[in-house]
Amino acid sequence: MEIYSKSTRLVVAAIQCSSTFFCFAFSLKNTWGRLFTYKWRGGSLISYKAPTCLLLKKDFTESLIGYEAEDKYLELEDGNNDYHFFKHFSTILHQSDIKQHTLCCDVTGRSLKAILVLEHFIRCIKKIVYQWIEAGILGIHEDDIDYVFTVPTTGGENAKLIMREAAVNAGIKREYLTIVLESEAASIYCQYLKFAKDDASSPVLGVVKPGTKYMLVHLGSSRANITVHQKCEDNTLDEVFPTRIGPWAATSVDDQIQRFLSELVKEKIWEGFKTEYMEDYLEFTRVLEELIQTVRPDKRGTTRLTIPFSLVKICTKSHGVKNFKEVVEKNDAYKNNVSFNSGKLLLNNDFFRGFFKKTIDGIVKHMDEIFQESRANDVKIIVMVGCFSECPLVQDAVRKNFSNYYIIVPEGGSTAVLEGAVYFGHIPDAVSRRSAKYTYGFQTWPEFNEDIHPEEKRVQYEKLSRCRDVFLKIVTKGDKIMTGFTKSQIFRVSCNRDNVLECGLFISEKKNPIFVDEPDCKLLGTLQVPFSQSNQNSNTLVEEKLVFGITELIFTAEDIYSGLKYEINFDLQEV
């Protein structure tokens, strides 16, 4: 069966912006399965990934990203205050409470509004993406490109809104912009790989029957996202329940190794190395990243880790010894498992694999907890994607703990999120139903009922006693939400002296909240609805409505008498 792109433009370009790296790719509408991925150069390294960093001049006249930003920052003289250098700043997108005024700190502690940092970062990306596509496609115009940005699944509604506004401020038209969750992009990649690539050599989900459920284990650089999806009759995906998220990823292993090195050479020396020899430190982290991806479960002997000469130099001087070997031998905690020879740190392999234990145990534990859920009892397939899923040690642990399951690790699964985002730009209805992550409701003031309402909530309004701040539930957490699902409620309200009705939309972590001011409740947005001039001295009818789209939630309030409608949009792809 052939599947055609639903994009209305010539090209779909996707940008994945994770906590530690970013990358981008594109494909043409008529050959949407043939992807072109941008390759970066960082020193001797050629990779589709570049570090998530931004060098921004304080007057905003100059901005660089990725390896260029790192190289230029290293060339700046110490004490140069004309530039901000932001590193791993996209971690702010994991904060569900991010706002327009949320600040982002550079490496020196100076701050700038996060939305402004994202705007300049996206502006640089947009320029590079367009120049790259333009070099390959003659006659291409900016209006010929649809943009898809991935967002960490941990990001809440506010983070998605900030990302969207930053992209629009950076020059991307709102109607050309889509945002997709990383977990959904990864699942779409697995689902549509068969249709996109006729020569796909590894097992993919396109071959399974409709009705089949599978666990998607997306192990990225900084986060793990684990969920269960089901293939529908129309080849779309149904999210069985919301994604479980945790820090069981490559960076948590990296943190363990760097903590060990800090203890080996002493924390003050390690921090001094990172500050004084940043270029060597950055190169070291790149080497460490590759090493983490290749650790094998059955390899005996030792793992070799090259120690930068600059670190050797400051260690021997600070410890007052002749060589780095003496630094290692002085540390009683590690001397039986670690040695030094010819510029390399030699770590016993069993000892080195210990750095992975906490992270891998977390992955296995949370997979097992999901399998205990009744809705996952019939799951027999596990799909592993993301850069950390390629680690042989991780794959071995999953296979040993879940030997009764069919485990798929697609070839090239490290780019699953990026490629899935491109596919999503062509097939935006690929995820047909999602589980509501929250309970949604309107704020109401019904007539006071002494049997169910607490006395402290009683307010007198004209001749009636009313109960303030009641949560009127519209959607329950866990409900299946299809694209286009609409729910509304009509309220008869009396005009007030301000002649304005404030309509509030609230969300809750609980399935059955009672009041909007409970600890688990949060105001998502408000609409100010002025009363009709002809009805300012009487009652009026106002309809509040929620409409769930492919990539957004629309909240409207309409004055029935005048027909005037007020609207606010939220980017809520997890609902």
Side-chain angles (χ1 to χ4, degrees), residues 177-195:
L177 177 64
T178 303
I179 300 177
V180 62
L181 296 175
E182 288 183 348
S183 57
E184 289 184 343
S187 192
I188 291 166
Y189 162 84
C190 298
Q191 178 71 21
Y192 286 92
L193 185 60
K194 174 177 178 289
F195 301 107

Side-chain angles (χ1 to χ4, degrees), residues 15 17 22 24 53-54 63-65 89 93 114-130 147 149-150 160-172 177 179:
I15 296 94
C17 186
F22 72 98
F24 46 82
C53 57
L54 168 72
S63 56
L64 295 170
I65 59 176
F89 59 85
L93 293 173
I115 191 170
L116 197 56
V117 175
L118 284 168
E119 175 190 332
H120 284 277
F121 183 75
I122 295 170
R123 197 182 298 277
C124 288
I125 289 178
K126 178 176 178 287
K127 181 179 179 181
I128 296 172
V129 169
Y130 179 66
Y147 290 89
F149 281 81
T150 69
K160 294 178 177 65
L161 286 171
I162 292 295
M163 184 66 154
R164 180 177 291 277
E165 289 307 307
V168 171
N169 293 343
I172 298 176
L177 177 64
I179 300 177

Side-chain angles (χ1 to χ4, degrees), residues 389-429:
S389 69
E390 294 188 336
C391 175
L393 199 61
V394 175
Q395 293 181 18
D396 180 71
V398 171
R399 287 193 171 99
K400 285 181 176 177
N401 284 277
F402 304 101
S403 57
N404 294 328
Y405 294 82
Y406 179 48
I407 298 171
I408 300 174
V409 186
E411 184 179 351
S414 61
T415 59
V417 170
L418 179 62
E419 294 192 32
V422 177
Y423 298 166
F424 185 72
H426 293 286
I427 314 165
D429 54 355

Side-chain angles (χ1 to χ4, degrees), residues 164-320:
R164 180 177 291 277
E165 289 307 307
V168 171
N169 293 343
I172 298 176
K173 293 182 180 180
R174 195 176 294 271
E175 61 268 29
Y176 297 175
L177 177 64
T178 303
I179 300 177
V180 62
L181 296 175
E182 288 183 348
S183 57
E184 289 184 343
S187 192
I188 291 166
Y189 162 84
C190 298
Q191 178 71 21
Y192 286 92
L193 185 60
K194 174 177 178 289
F195 301 107
K197 300 179 181 179
D198 294 334
D199 61 344
S201 57
S202 57
V204 291
L205 291 172
V207 300
V208 301
K209 295 179 180 179
T212 304
K213 293 179 182 178
Y214 61 93
M215 175 179 284
L216 179 67
V217 182
H218 171 224
L219 307 177
S221 60
S222 61
R223 289 290 188 275
N225 302 305
I226 306 173
T227 190
V228 173
H229 282 151
Q230 183 173 27
K231 183 174 179 179
C232 303
E233 292 289 340
D234 58 358
N235 285 316
T236 59
L237 305 176
D238 180 4
E239 186 181 77
V240 177
F241 47 76
T243 304
R244 183 165 295 195
I245 303 162
W248 325 296
T251 52
S252 60
V253 177
D254 184 281
D255 290 342
Q256 293 282 336
I257 297 172
Q258 292 205 38
R259 190 175 297 116
F260 149 71
L261 290 169
S262 176
E263 293 173 1
L264 181 69
V265 303
K266 303 302 181 187
E267 182 179 0
K268 185 177 180 180
I269 296 172
W270 180 251
E271 293 302 319
F273 163 65
K274 290 165 62 175
T275 304
E276 296 175 33
Y277 299 93
M278 182 177 288
E279 186 171 6
D280 289 348
Y281 172 70
L282 291 174
E283 186 64 32
F284 177 78
T285 57
R286 293 168 193 165
V287 171
L288 196 58
E289 179 184 344
E290 290 187 16
L291 184 64
I292 289 172
Q293 298 296 96
T294 58
V295 177
R296 303 194 63 82
D298 53 354
K299 185 180 177 182
R300 297 183 179 181
T302 60
T303 294
R304 296 172 179 267
L305 184 61
T306 301
I307 300 298
F309 178 74
S310 53
L311 178 58
V312 172
K313 185 173 66 174
I314 61 174
C315 276
T316 53
K317 181 179 178 181
S318 299
H319 283 271

Side-chain angles (χ1 to χ4, degrees), residues 451-463:
D451 294 332
I452 60 174
H453 294 148
E455 187 62 33
E456 63 268 20
K457 290 286 185 181
R458 184 198 293 265
V459 292
Q460 196 66 30
Y461 190 79
E462 296 180 343
K463 296 181 180 180

